[in-house]
């Protein structure tokens, strides 16, 4: 009914992880340019991410507020290195007047490759300073998904700025096996998984028990 008569894209996506929660957010009026707007007098922005070298990367801009968070912005692209993302995020922060508290990178941002002399976290610290950077704790995919489901119920989204990101969250889903008649244990690794993983890593400041901010060793 929702797919055919209400044109619900979430209903059409079998195995959607956050589809119902996004529908609920829309029905409760938590997706609009008003309720999700950045408050210059409010708390500083915290950014969660899923980043890869020469791969798709996503960034969610969270502003803590009474009772939850405003998701004021989102960015996603592919083919950019850490240096390029540093400049791009800094430009957005400046252009939109955000006050930055911290940028959280995934735990594998410590890794170095033969193609790069410095890890992603080293590059970002060089740009923003150690006090503005954090590494999210390593955790299971299931834990991150559960955390994302919990925290989404406390979020309001800027409708325009987060449109592409919400498309990714809606499409983030498990794969259904027609022969076994069951869903996959892991979400499908496609374009939407970066938005889902980046949002789910907001668990470190979304009140998830046991999650602590950590910086790389020797910083």
């Amino acid at each position: 009914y929702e797919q055919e008569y209400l044109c619900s894209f979430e209903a059409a996506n079998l195995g959607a992880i956050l589809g119902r929660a996004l529908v609920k957010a829309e029905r409760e009026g938590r997706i609009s340019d008003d309720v999700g707007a950045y408050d210059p007098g409010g708390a500083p922005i915290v950014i969660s991410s899923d980043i890869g070298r020469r791969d798709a990367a996503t960034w969610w801009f969270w502003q803590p507020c009474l009772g939850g968070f405003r998701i004021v912005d989102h960015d996603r692209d592919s083919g950019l290195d850490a240096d390029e993302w540093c400049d791009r995020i800094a430009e957005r922060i400046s252009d939109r007047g955000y006050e930055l508290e911290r940028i959280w990178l995934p735990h594998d941002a410590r890794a170095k490759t033969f193609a790069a002399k410095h890890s992603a976290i080293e590059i970002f610290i060089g740009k923003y300073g150690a006090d503005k950077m954090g590494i999210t704790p390593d955790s299971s995919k299931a834990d991150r998904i559960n955390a994302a489901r919990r925290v989404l119920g406390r979020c309001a989204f800027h409708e325009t700025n987060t449109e592409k990101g919400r498309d990714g969250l809606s499409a983030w889903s498990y794969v259904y096996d027609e022969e076994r008649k069951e869903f996959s244990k892991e979400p499908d690794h496609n374009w939407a998984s970066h938005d889902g993983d980046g949002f789910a890593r907001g668990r470190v400041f979304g009140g998830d028990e046991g999650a602590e901010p950590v910086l790389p060793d020797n910083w």
Side-chain angles (χ1 to χ4, degrees):
Y1 173 84
E2 290 190 359
Q3 177 181 346
E4 295 297 328
Y5 294 99
L6 301 182
C7 299
S8 172
F9 294 100
E10 289 83 2
N13 187 15
L14 190 65
I17 295 171
L18 299 177
R20 290 184 180 180
L22 285 169
V23 170
K24 183 179 180 181
E26 185 171 7
R27 289 174 177 171
E28 292 176 350
R30 290 187 282 115
I31 301 178
S32 79
D33 289 355
D34 291 329
V35 299
Y38 173 68
D39 179 6
I45 293 294
V46 186
I47 301 175
S48 65
S49 66
D50 184 64
I51 182 173
R53 289 185 180 276
R54 293 299 175 188
D55 196 5
T58 191
W59 309 83
W60 291 94
F61 294 65
W62 307 61
Q63 184 177 34
C65 59
L66 185 63
F69 302 90
R70 298 184 189 93
I71 312 299
V72 301
D73 216 335
H74 167 270
D75 196 8
R76 179 181 70 225
D77 210 337
S78 59
L80 301 180
D81 286 329
D83 298 274
E84 296 169 299
W85 273 118
C86 279
D87 294 338
R88 179 158 159 168
I89 292 171
E91 183 177 357
R92 177 163 299 206
I93 290 172
S94 176
D95 289 347
R96 301 192 175 180
Y98 298 148
E99 180 185 354
L100 177 65
E101 178 180 325
R102 183 165 293 184
I103 299 174
W104 291 91
L105 298 183
H107 69 279
D108 54 0
R110 293 189 180 95
K112 297 180 181 179
T113 68
F114 290 112
K117 293 178 60 177
H118 302 286
S119 65
I121 187 62
E122 290 172 340
I123 293 170
F124 271 79
I125 286 177
K127 176 74 173 183
Y128 293 95
D131 62 319
K132 296 294 185 183
M133 297 306 305
I135 292 285
T136 56
D138 191 11
S139 59
S140 70
K141 182 79 71 173
D143 286 343
R144 294 199 298 271
I145 288 173
N146 288 334
R149 285 171 171 159
R150 288 198 302 270
V151 76
L152 198 150
R154 299 160 52 204
C155 292
F157 293 82
H158 190 285
E159 186 172 12
T160 302
N161 292 350
T162 67
E163 181 178 3
K164 291 183 178 180
R166 286 183 289 105
D167 286 345
L169 294 186
S170 296
W172 193 34
S173 60
Y174 296 106
V175 179
Y176 187 69
D177 189 324
E178 289 287 353
E179 294 184 0
R180 297 184 178 182
K181 305 300 181 184
E182 62 182 16
F183 288 103
S184 60
K185 295 182 180 180
E186 296 284 338
D188 190 15
H189 185 70
N190 56 15
W191 67 272
S193 63
H194 294 286
D195 288 324
D197 284 335
F199 182 86
R201 288 192 172 95
R203 69 195 293 269
V204 296
F205 48 86
D208 190 45
E209 294 183 3
E212 297 291 341
V214 292
L215 279 172
D217 297 335
N218 302 323
W219 285 97

